[in-house]
Amino acid sequence: MTATQNPPHQQPKTASESAERRYATVNPFTGEVEKEFDFTPTEAIDGIVGKAHAAYQEWRQRPVEERAAVVRRAAELMDERRDDLARLITTEMGKRHEEATGELFLCSMILKYYADNGPGFLEPTQITPLMGKGEAVVETQPVGVLLAIEPWNYPFYQVVRVAGPNLVLGNTVILKHAEITPQCAVAIEQLFTDAGAPEGVFTNTFLRIDDVEQVIADPRIQGVTLTGSERAGSAVGALAGKHLKKSVLELGGSDPFIVLDAEDMAATVKAATMGRMQNTGQACTASKRLIVTEENYEPFVEGLKQAFSTFSPGDPADPSTSLAPLSSERAAQDLHAQIQDAVDKGATVVAGGKRPEHPGAFVEATILTDVTPEMRAYREELFGPAAVVYKVKDADEAVALANDSDFGLGATVMSSDLDRARAVAERLEAGMVWINQPTGSSPELPFGGIKRSGYGRELSELAMFEFANRRLVRTVPVKKPKPPVGG
């Protein structure tokens, strides 16, 4: 894996001029290619997997406390390097610097959570046998080398969700990161190396997409996890099934944000704005479909319009910037095409809807209403600063609309009546439901979805068991021979 940088006397290349390269830092604010990386040679893959497998044989034998200490040290190094790493995130995918530092703070929490709690999660579980004497114990053992295929939108967070629990468990990890965040990938590998992880325990690669199957098919690979699009998840899930490998998929989302009532409309609008606009709307769990009961609809839309009007494009490294660029020009074009499709078919633009006259991969903070099923915006995930607001008659209609989606990742219910909110939450088809707060993330809370949002869980204690051998050990006492009669 080598990098090539432009000589100082040359002008940086644009993304179009470097289209033949797959791994490159293309600043989404300037459009300039700042650094490029060669692919991992196909012929090198066998050796990379071999090193990871050899490392596993030694790593799994270390006391869990030693493995946890390495993970905790990685968190401490992340804290020490937070500002530099945040600048790297901002440069590669355009996240506002404040949000980039927030992402790294959460990553550090996750690593420390598993360093502190992972050993306890791995304690054997006693089972009382129903038949016979003796004891039964369920042990949690590592399984081997894992392939992690991770996206650009949270370039550190998505990786540590996998690395934290699995390194403590005793697995080893090979990373294939997104093609637009290669420097973040290198920095993550360096964190674990500097923290004391032996060579092969955590390995970054710049794999070609065409080489992914070779890795999954390798008998030394014991599992694959992917966070990404439906298309990528379907392909990787099929490959994993073909080669009989366990997989975990965290895919897209079109999360509903249901407003049942709003005693404090300003607070409700603020929550909806945060839920939709965080990370410039580029989150699987962003509040993309705002479903509002008719008595609250008009004041909600007016408040949201005022809130969205405050977002102005600017340099994501500038603390005063409120609207960062999307991750790439292509991402901006794709989102704008979805918005334009809705407008062409009769949707109402309450705010935004255009590409601003500003350099960079920007789309205005957009609010659409009157969106109907024949529009792309009704079914597809809008991955950027665009919200769709629906008016519904009551809670039943809100639930029906919320569940009328191929996705099932997260959901939010807003109401001052907690019993009413919980009753609605119980009816929602989602892996996570948050009441009176937009869908979020914390180390101790399980993260994952249903339907076409994927399967499996990350974070919390549950993440320790996704790629684990839950081994039963049943012990039956040896019967002592009876002494001979008269002996």
Side-chain angles (χ1 to χ4, degrees):
M1 296 175 288
T2 61
T4 58
Q5 288 185 279
N6 300 298
H9 62 277
Q10 292 183 359
Q11 290 296 317
K13 290 186 285 186
T14 64
S16 61
E17 292 173 325
S18 189
E20 74 277 6
R21 305 301 293 245
R22 290 301 304 277
Y23 284 84
T25 299
V26 182
N27 189 315
F29 180 64
T30 66
E32 296 176 350
V33 178
E34 300 197 1
K35 199 168 187 179
E36 296 177 325
F37 292 79
D38 293 331
F39 286 116
T40 297
T42 302
E43 60 271 19
I45 293 173
D46 182 72
I48 291 170
V49 176
K51 283 185 178 180
H53 180 67
Y56 164 69
Q57 300 298 333
E58 187 273 332
W59 183 247
R60 71 189 304 267
Q61 297 299 330
R62 289 196 181 192
V64 64
E65 291 78 13
E66 289 187 17
R67 301 195 299 262
V70 170
V71 171
R72 169 164 277 281
R73 181 57 184 153
E76 293 168 352
L77 291 173
M78 186 176 289
D79 291 338
E80 294 171 10
R81 301 172 187 178
R82 184 178 299 162
D83 286 343
D84 290 340
L85 297 177
R87 281 190 287 271
L88 197 56
I89 294 172
T90 298
T91 298
E92 291 209 296
M93 55 75 59
K95 196 189 300 283
R96 291 192 306 112
H97 184 76
E98 178 184 4
E99 292 185 327
T101 57
E103 175 183 341
L104 292 163
F105 180 78
L106 176 58
C107 290
S108 176
M109 286 181 60
I110 291 169
L111 294 175
K112 292 172 183 175
Y113 173 80
Y114 286 109
D116 293 345
N117 297 285
F121 294 152
L122 300 181
E123 287 291 326
T125 302
Q126 297 283 342
I127 298 175
T128 301
L130 296 178
M131 296 185 293
K133 297 180 179 180
E135 64 177 20
V137 174
V138 175
E139 301 174 338
T140 303
Q141 298 290 325
V143 293
V145 187
L146 309 178
L147 173 63
I149 304 172
E150 301 302 333
W152 47 262
N153 60 331
Y154 290 91
F156 281 77
Y157 164 72
Q158 305 283 13
V159 176
V160 302
R161 290 195 319 195
V162 176
N166 281 291
L167 295 188
V168 172
L169 172 58
N171 292 323
T172 58
V173 177
I174 294 174
L175 172 66
K176 183 220 174 294
H177 216 317
E179 289 84 355
I180 68 171
T181 53
Q183 293 190 74
C184 288
V186 171
I188 296 168
E189 182 184 51
Q190 194 64 52
L191 280 170
F192 286 112
T193 298
D194 293 348
E199 183 181 10
V201 168
F202 184 95
T203 307
N204 175 58
T205 65
F206 294 132
L207 290 176
R208 294 176 174 87
I209 292 175
D210 291 344
D211 287 336
V212 167
E213 182 170 7
Q214 178 182 338
V215 179
I216 295 175
D218 192 300
R220 295 166 294 187
I221 296 291
Q222 297 302 308
V224 56
T225 180
L226 174 142
T227 296
S229 67
E230 289 177 88
R231 180 179 177 183
S234 178
V236 168
L239 289 173
K242 174 183 176 181
H243 297 288
L244 298 179
K245 305 295 174 70
K246 170 72 181 290
S247 62
V248 170
L249 303 177
E250 194 269 280
L251 309 179
S254 189
D255 288 13
F257 182 100
I258 299 174
V259 180
L260 297 176
D261 57 73
E263 291 184 357
D264 187 343
M265 181 58 73
T268 300
V269 168
K270 182 178 180 180
T273 302
M274 179 180 70
R276 174 64 281 205
M277 293 299 293
Q278 188 174 19
N279 202 32
T280 318
Q282 299 169 115
C284 296
T285 55
S287 302
K288 302 181 179 79
R289 296 181 296 144
L290 312 181
I291 302 171
V292 188
T293 51
E294 55 188 3
E295 65 269 22
N296 297 288
Y297 181 81
E298 294 299 336
F300 178 85
V301 171
E302 181 58 34
L304 196 69
K305 178 181 178 181
Q306 293 178 13
F308 273 41
S309 69
T310 65
F311 287 91
S312 178
D315 184 348
D318 185 341
S320 66
T321 293
S322 54
L323 182 66
L326 276 75
S327 64
S328 67
E329 177 60 26
R330 178 178 175 181
Q333 292 174 358
D334 289 347
L335 177 63
H336 187 251
Q338 291 172 304
I339 294 170
Q340 192 59 50
D341 172 80
V343 173
D344 291 344
K345 294 175 181 175
T348 299
V349 179
V350 175
K354 300 177 182 178
R355 298 289 306 274
E357 295 183 1
H358 192 290
F362 290 97
V363 174
E364 292 177 339
T366 299
I367 302 171
L368 298 175
T369 60
D370 304 312
V371 169
T372 52
E374 70 273 10
M375 302 173 188
R376 294 176 61 192
Y378 187 89
R379 289 287 176 195
E380 296 179 7
E381 180 178 23
L382 301 181
F383 215 64
V388 179
V389 188
Y390 297 92
K391 181 195 297 185
V392 293
K393 180 176 62 176
D394 53 25
D396 289 340
E397 195 171 303
V399 170
L401 179 57
N403 290 340
D404 186 23
S405 172
D406 295 332
F407 298 105
L409 190 54
T412 297
V413 181
M414 302 292 290
S415 176
S416 57
D417 184 338
L418 294 184
D419 289 337
R420 185 187 186 200
R422 292 189 187 102
V424 168
E426 289 177 359
R427 300 166 61 191
L428 295 176
E429 297 170 355
M432 304 170 285
V433 182
W434 290 57
I435 294 175
N436 290 330
Q437 183 176 328
T439 305
S441 180
S442 188
E444 78 283 5
L445 302 179
F447 191 102
I450 60 172
K451 299 164 76 172
R452 292 191 68 82
S453 290
Y455 49 78
R457 290 296 180 268
E458 295 180 318
L459 299 181
S460 79
E461 181 179 1
L462 300 183
M464 298 289 294
F465 308 133
E466 288 288 355
F467 296 102
N469 176 17
R470 301 282 279 169
R471 184 173 65 188
L472 169 68
V473 178
R474 176 75 166 94
T475 304
V476 178
V478 176
K479 293 182 179 180
K480 296 181 179 181
K482 295 181 179 179
V485 177

